[in-house]
Amino acid sequence: MSNYLGALRRRLLRSAPSPSAPPRPPPSADGREHQEGQEHAPSPKGVSQRPQRLSALLSARSVAGEVFLLQLAVVVVLVAAAVLALVVQARSSAMLDARHRTLAAAGTFAESPGMVAALHSAHPSAVLQPSAEAARKIAGVDGLNVYTLDGVTLAHSDPKQIGKRVVGPFATAAAGRSFTETFAGSLGQSVVSVVPVKDARGNVIAVVSSPVTVQNVQSMVNGQLPVVLGSAAGVLVLSAGGTALVSRRLLRRTHGLGPAEMTRMYEHHDAVLHAVREGVLIVGDGGRLLLANDEARRLLDLPGDAEGRPLADLGLEEGIVARITAGRTATDEVHMAADRLLAVNIRPTAPYGSAGTVVTLRDTTELRALSGKAEVARERLNLLYDAGVRVGTTLDVERTAQELAEVAVPRFAAVVTVDLLEPVLRGEEPPETTTEMRRTAAVGLRGDHPLYPVGRLIRFVPGSPMAVGLAGGRAVLEADLRATHHWRAQDPANAERILERGIHSLIAVPLRARGVVLGMAGYWRGPDSPAFDQEDVSFAEELTARAALSVDNARRYTREHTVADTLQRSLLPRGVPEQSAVEVAHRYLSAQAGVGGDWFDVIPLPGARVALVVGDVVGHGLYAAATMGRLRTAVYNFSTLDLPPDELLSHLDELVAHIDTDQQEWQGITGATCLCAVYDPVSGQVTAATAGHPGPALVHPDGTVSFPEVPVSPPLGLGEGLPMESAELTLPEGSLLALFTDGLIEGRGRDPDAGLAALRGALSGPARTPEETCTAVIEAVLPTRPSDDIALLVARTRRLDPARIAEWDVPPDPAEVSRVRNACARRLAEWGLDDIAFTTELILSELITNAIRYGTEPIRVRLLYDRGLICEVSDGSSTSPHLRRAEDTDEGGRGLFLVAQFAQRWGTRYTARGKIIWSEQALHEGAAESAAAAALPEEVLLAEWDQEPL
């Protein structure tokens, strides 16, 4: 039996599969491609292109890449399915082999000699266990187990199980039949075959089972996987290589286009090729026509079977065939084909396609006819553009009419005349019906021309083109002046001269703007130009309409300028008031842009003083002129209060600020400046204050010029309540004081310092009168084209003769009144003013008595003998008397009334040390009043004013 078991073991070992070797990895497809790339290294150019081809091949954006990836996916799926089928088949075969092996091992062991004897022996396990273990190893199974019919283990691969009772599916084997099944046992999931052991009579006396675990079966299958996977990898590589070759060929044919691009290209290929109005021919390298679209067939009258035939056999013009087959390029070459004028373009198809030529044909027969019209239209557009730039550069009516004529000659007409209504030239509204115009512009005339000259007043007769156009408000075309006669009625002799000069065509266009006819424009053509047509009429109307707006703007500006200038001049001083302090000359010049807000003023003040004022309001036009008038009136009114210059400007600043904040007042006042200087001829002192205005210029008697430093306060309305500052100067007699606005020294592109230097040069030099000085300054300093108004005020200072000044200090004693009164009478007698001595004594008595009673020291009396007699009584008090009407029962209050009756003017002004009450009397007037006063009893007069306060 041992020999039998050894032989069985050797047979089973020969028939069993060899131990599974480690799986051999399949060759990498990428690695193979890489090796091929190294073995067949292309040129550098190919190397640079291979990544692009590979990326295009692997990209789904191209048709070739999409096909490659799809085929590769199919191959991978098929290979995976095949590998899976092989694995399943190998596992099934392994399981079947395990069933056969276990059944053979169990059957062989059950039928082995000595099995029945061993079962009937005293110790069956001792006999069977070694034999079963030896047979198990020979058979290559996981066990050979022997069980009695009641489940007692007699032999087992695990000796510990011997003697134990097990429960198993032994009923079938006990019945005498062998079987094989899979179940989970102590060894795990296993394939088990069970065979009965029969005695000599055929009775089943035991059961033999032979298990093999599924894990061992799987290991057998895994041993075959490397071969299966290697075969699958080889198939996959071969399939991918073949797919890549096919896809690469497809990539070249499709030029790397994507599916959407190819679809769009083929969908629109015929539409684009056959719908364009341009013929397309593709000619092969041998001069054979490869493709012709519908337009090319129409232009060349090609037969239906033209494609594929040589060009020479198609009956084309020899020039076109020779030019196409020459192999040279051409751009818009013109060739005749039957009655058509074709523009031919020839280009080689390389490198975009195979060797050949592409030819495009364009019918230019109609285009040539339209090109002339397009050139004319382009020239007309340029002319309209130039007219928009060149017409209306100024706001002068005559200059605007001249610009219209200049822009149209010679590009549209040989001669252009512009006639305007008389009111238009003056800036007025034109009348509704009139045919009388003044020739304002005429351009294109040479030599002794027959047309009316500029400046001629023309009355157009009814029926003439100008009269018809003016009446109808539309353009009138006279295409051929020789064929018509009604236009000759204006001046038959002159009409013949016009025709002799070759002028043959006319368009008369009314100048209309905003529904108003301003005049007429005449466009004349000479012998070198074609006659006007309806298209020319439309253009002439457009050109004239644009110019008419500029003419109307100039007319409206002329009207506004005239109104503003009239207002400005009416608000400026018409003359210099009489006074003895200064000799004055002045100039006022309007800017080219229109009148502005510059002003000047000379205001006489009490005490023989005079105020010199110069101001400026930013802007031009009516608003600036009206604002100037308001400020000048305010300055004059403040001057009547006899305020110092700084206080006057402070009040003016408050007024301007109030006007700016008042919403009911126009637009407010912004950018206003003012310079005020008060000159006292007694002391020779000038007090000046400025609010944002340039300071004065001082010309000394020796001819030197200086610009005194005057504190500059903010412009009017911007002071915010801050006090103004002033400066005091003592001027030698005969000095010149020049006050001016900034328009004199500033301007476009002119530095103020340069203007001041020019002003210094104009003022310096030998002594001149103020009038001569103004003329010299304007000639030397005035800008060429002033952009702002200019106001200049020049004053030569004078001193009052000291012999005409009398002063007395008055002690605060009423008894001193008579002493001072007598002293004044004696001085009046010395001056020859005896006729007003009585009234002067009366006035002085009242003023001195009032100062003694109600004022404080020091009290001082001063008489000034100027154009009139000025009496001044000063004291240290700031209280001021007021005139009132006394009742019949009042005992006083009539003194100031008497002063007002006998004096021409009177008033009060305040000083730094108190106040001055002054009166002024005319020297040769009021004799009747003096005589009437003298006729009154002296005691009556004394009773009225001797003891009463003012």
Side-chain angles (χ1 to χ4, degrees):
M1 183 175 179
S2 60
N3 294 333
Y4 169 78
L5 292 176
L8 180 60
R9 180 179 180 182
R10 287 191 295 271
R11 181 180 298 177
L12 291 175
L13 288 174
R14 286 195 300 267
S15 62
S18 62
S20 59
R24 181 181 179 183
S28 172
D30 294 341
R32 181 173 302 173
E33 288 291 329
H34 180 66
Q35 292 175 0
E36 291 177 359
Q38 291 179 346
E39 292 174 2
H40 305 282
S43 62
K45 180 177 180 181
V47 173
S48 62
Q49 294 179 349
R50 181 174 297 275
Q52 297 179 0
R53 295 176 181 175
L54 183 59
S55 62
L57 193 62
L58 297 178
S59 174
R61 296 182 180 179
S62 63
V63 175
E66 186 174 322
V67 172
F68 172 74
L69 294 178
L70 182 61
Q71 291 180 345
L72 186 62
V74 172
V75 170
V76 170
V77 171
L78 292 177
V79 170
V83 170
L84 180 62
L86 291 176
V87 171
V88 171
Q89 183 180 3
R91 184 172 183 179
S92 177
S93 299
M95 291 294 292
L96 182 61
D97 178 70
R99 294 168 69 90
H100 292 164
R101 186 185 304 173
T102 54
L103 184 60
T108 302
F109 190 74
E111 295 294 333
S112 62
M115 173 60 72
V116 176
L119 290 173
H120 291 281
S121 64
H123 299 285
S125 298
V127 178
L128 294 175
Q129 179 65 24
S131 299
E133 185 66 19
R136 180 189 69 80
K137 294 179 179 180
I138 294 173
V141 296
D142 293 333
L144 278 174
N145 306 326
V146 181
Y147 303 96
T148 62
L149 294 179
D150 55 359
V152 177
T153 302
L154 299 179
H156 199 277
S157 58
D158 185 7
K160 296 180 180 180
Q161 302 296 326
I162 296 175
K164 295 182 178 180
R165 185 182 297 277
V166 297
V167 178
F170 301 140
T172 302
R177 295 192 302 274
S178 302
F179 67 90
T180 303
E181 65 179 12
T182 302
F183 76 100
S186 60
L187 298 179
Q189 190 75 17
S190 305
V191 177
V192 179
S193 295
V194 180
V195 178
V197 178
K198 299 179 180 179
D199 57 6
R201 292 190 298 274
N203 296 324
V204 178
I205 58 175
V207 176
V208 177
S209 67
S210 176
V212 175
T213 62
V214 176
Q215 182 178 3
N216 291 338
V217 175
Q218 188 66 33
S219 64
M220 297 173 61
V221 175
N222 292 340
Q224 300 176 1
L225 283 179
V227 177
V228 173
L229 295 177
S231 300
V235 172
L236 180 62
V237 169
L238 292 176
S239 301
T243 302
L245 291 176
V246 174
S247 300
R248 185 174 181 182
R249 182 69 175 178
L250 181 62
L251 179 66
R252 291 181 178 178
R253 292 297 183 182
T254 60
H255 299 285
L257 295 176
E261 295 174 344
M262 290 193 64
T263 302
R264 183 169 60 253
M265 181 181 68
Y266 284 107
E267 285 180 351
H268 300 296
H269 173 269
D270 290 340
V272 172
L273 186 63
H274 299 291
V276 295
R277 291 195 60 188
E278 188 165 345
V280 178
L281 300 175
I282 298 180
V283 182
D285 193 16
R288 190 177 298 275
L289 180 64
L290 301 180
L291 183 143
N293 68 344
D294 295 342
E295 184 68 9
R297 293 176 181 274
R298 184 185 70 84
L299 295 176
L300 299 177
D301 295 329
L302 297 177
D305 59 346
E307 293 182 355
R309 297 172 56 185
L311 289 178
D313 299 341
L314 299 179
L316 301 178
E317 298 289 338
E318 294 183 1
I320 296 179
V321 175
R323 192 71 183 86
I324 294 174
T325 56
R328 292 178 294 177
T329 62
T331 301
D332 287 340
E333 287 190 355
V334 179
H335 294 274
M336 291 297 300
D339 58 345
R340 295 185 179 94
L341 190 64
L342 302 181
V344 180
N345 292 273
I346 304 174
R347 295 290 186 275
T349 57
Y352 309 103
S354 57
T357 304
V358 59
V359 182
T360 60
L361 309 170
R362 185 172 67 256
D363 190 355
T364 62
T365 306
E366 298 178 358
L367 184 61
R368 286 302 179 97
L370 294 176
S371 61
K373 296 182 179 180
E375 181 64 23
V376 172
R378 185 182 65 83
E379 180 62 26
R380 295 286 172 83
L381 289 176
N382 291 336
L383 182 55
L384 288 177
Y385 173 78
D386 293 342
V389 175
R390 295 171 53 186
V391 179
T393 58
T394 65
L395 292 174
D396 182 80
V397 176
E398 297 181 3
R399 178 57 188 165
T400 303
Q402 181 72 16
E403 290 170 345
L404 168 61
E406 290 175 351
V407 78
V409 175
R411 298 163 65 180
F412 179 66
V415 178
V416 176
T417 59
V418 180
D419 307 314
L420 298 179
L421 299 171
E422 278 287 315
V424 173
L425 294 172
R426 297 191 299 266
E428 302 174 1
E429 291 291 337
E432 295 183 0
T433 58
T434 183
T435 59
E436 188 175 85
M437 303 181 195
R438 188 172 298 278
R439 178 138 297 175
T440 310
V443 176
L445 304 176
R446 299 181 182 87
D448 185 18
H449 57 82
L451 297 178
Y452 293 135
V454 174
R456 172 79 174 269
L457 185 63
I458 309 171
R459 183 181 296 275
F460 294 102
V461 300
S464 64
M466 301 296 183
V468 173
L470 187 64
R474 57 181 179 81
V476 177
L477 170 64
E478 295 291 346
D480 189 359
L481 295 176
R482 299 181 181 87
T484 58
H485 300 280
H486 56 273
W487 71 277
R488 306 186 186 189
Q490 178 70 36
D491 190 342
N494 200 49
E496 293 298 330
R497 295 178 57 200
I498 291 175
L499 295 177
E500 291 174 1
R501 291 290 294 268
I503 297 176
H504 58 83
S505 189
L506 165 68
I507 298 178
V509 186
L511 282 158
R512 294 177 58 90
R514 302 178 179 92
V516 178
V517 177
L518 308 174
M520 294 294 295
Y523 301 93
W524 312 75
R525 280 190 174 175
D528 298 332
S529 302
F532 288 116
D533 54 20
Q534 288 298 328
E535 292 185 1
D536 295 325
V537 172
S538 300
F539 174 77
E541 290 178 335
E542 176 69 19
L543 178 62
T544 307
R546 296 192 179 193
L549 289 176
S550 298
V551 172
D552 189 57
N553 289 337
R555 177 191 67 83
R556 291 156 64 93
Y557 170 78
T558 301
R559 181 185 60 188
E560 294 181 2
H561 178 79
T562 303
V563 173
D565 185 66
T566 302
L567 176 62
Q568 173 83 349
R569 304 256 177 213
S570 66
L571 294 176
L572 288 173
R574 298 186 179 181
V576 178
E578 294 183 0
Q579 43 80 37
S580 303
V582 292
E583 179 188 355
V584 177
H586 56 83
R587 293 289 188 275
Y588 174 80
L589 300 176
S590 300
Q592 290 191 349
V595 297
D598 293 10
W599 89 92
F600 64 92
D601 212 342
V602 179
I603 306 173
L605 297 177
R609 297 170 301 130
V610 65
L612 306 175
V613 183
V614 171
D616 186 6
V617 176
V618 175
H620 300 88
L622 290 174
Y623 173 70
T627 302
M628 177 275 295
R630 301 172 73 185
L631 294 183
R632 178 172 177 260
T633 301
V635 170
Y636 185 85
N637 291 334
F638 287 138
S639 297
T640 60
L641 300 177
D642 207 355
L643 298 175
D646 52 345
E647 294 185 19
L648 186 148
L649 292 182
S650 295
H651 286 289
L652 192 62
D653 178 70
E654 293 177 2
L655 175 63
V656 172
H658 174 72
I659 294 176
D660 285 340
T661 56
D662 188 357
Q663 297 300 324
Q664 303 299 325
E665 294 284 345
W666 297 355
Q667 306 172 7
I669 300 175
T670 57
T673 62
C674 184
L675 168 64
C676 180
V678 176
Y679 175 68
D680 187 354
V682 177
S683 62
Q685 189 176 69
V686 61
T687 304
T690 175
H693 200 87
L698 177 60
V699 183
H700 298 273
D702 59 358
T704 60
V705 180
S706 64
F707 295 94
E709 293 185 3
V710 179
V712 179
S713 300
L716 298 177
L718 303 178
E720 299 180 355
L722 298 177
M724 299 287 181
E725 298 184 45
S726 62
E728 295 183 355
L729 302 171
T730 300
L731 306 182
E733 184 176 4
S735 299
L736 277 178
L737 199 61
L739 285 70
F740 52 90
T741 57
D742 57 0
L744 182 65
I745 60 173
E746 298 180 10
R748 296 192 184 110
R750 185 178 186 182
D751 185 68
D753 293 336
L756 287 175
L759 179 60
R760 182 191 297 272
L763 291 174
S764 61
R768 289 171 294 190
T769 64
E771 190 68 30
E772 294 172 345
T773 302
C774 285
T775 303
V777 169
I778 294 300
E779 292 178 354
V781 185
L782 182 67
T784 305
R785 298 176 61 87
S787 59
D788 195 4
D789 292 5
I790 296 174
L792 175 64
L793 182 62
V794 177
R796 181 177 296 280
T797 62
R798 297 170 178 167
R799 286 289 187 93
L800 191 60
D801 188 357
R804 292 194 172 197
I805 303 173
E807 295 181 287
W808 297 273
D809 292 327
V810 181
D813 185 359
E816 295 291 330
V817 176
S818 60
R819 182 184 65 83
V820 176
R821 186 171 62 235
N822 294 332
C824 291
R826 290 191 299 270
R827 182 56 61 94
L828 292 176
E830 294 176 3
W831 289 343
L833 303 177
D834 295 326
D835 54 343
I836 62 171
F838 179 77
T839 56
T840 303
E841 292 180 23
L842 178 62
I843 293 172
L844 286 175
S845 297
E846 285 294 336
L847 297 181
I848 297 172
T849 302
N850 183 76
I852 292 174
R853 287 187 177 184
Y854 303 104
T856 60
E857 295 186 89
I859 301 173
R860 191 172 182 83
V861 176
R862 185 170 72 166
L863 296 181
L864 301 178
Y865 177 20
D866 191 27
R867 293 178 179 272
L869 181 64
I870 302 171
C871 301
E872 296 180 347
V873 177
S874 63
D875 65 81
S877 173
S878 60
T879 59
S880 176
H882 297 281
L883 179 65
R884 66 183 180 87
R885 182 177 296 276
E887 301 293 338
D888 294 339
T889 58
D890 291 344
E891 295 181 358
R894 297 177 179 84
L896 193 57
F897 176 76
L898 291 175
V899 173
Q901 290 295 317
F902 288 107
Q904 186 180 15
R905 294 189 304 159
W906 75 278
T908 304
R909 73 173 183 268
Y910 295 93
T911 65
R913 294 182 297 273
K915 67 176 182 299
I916 298 176
I917 302 177
W918 58 270
S919 68
E920 186 174 343
Q921 299 167 260
L923 298 182
H924 302 290
E925 298 179 0
E929 291 82 356
S930 299
L936 294 176
E938 186 178 25
E939 60 273 10
V940 175
L941 293 175
L942 293 177
E944 291 294 337
W945 53 265
D946 191 48
Q947 301 296 329
E948 295 296 332
L950 296 177

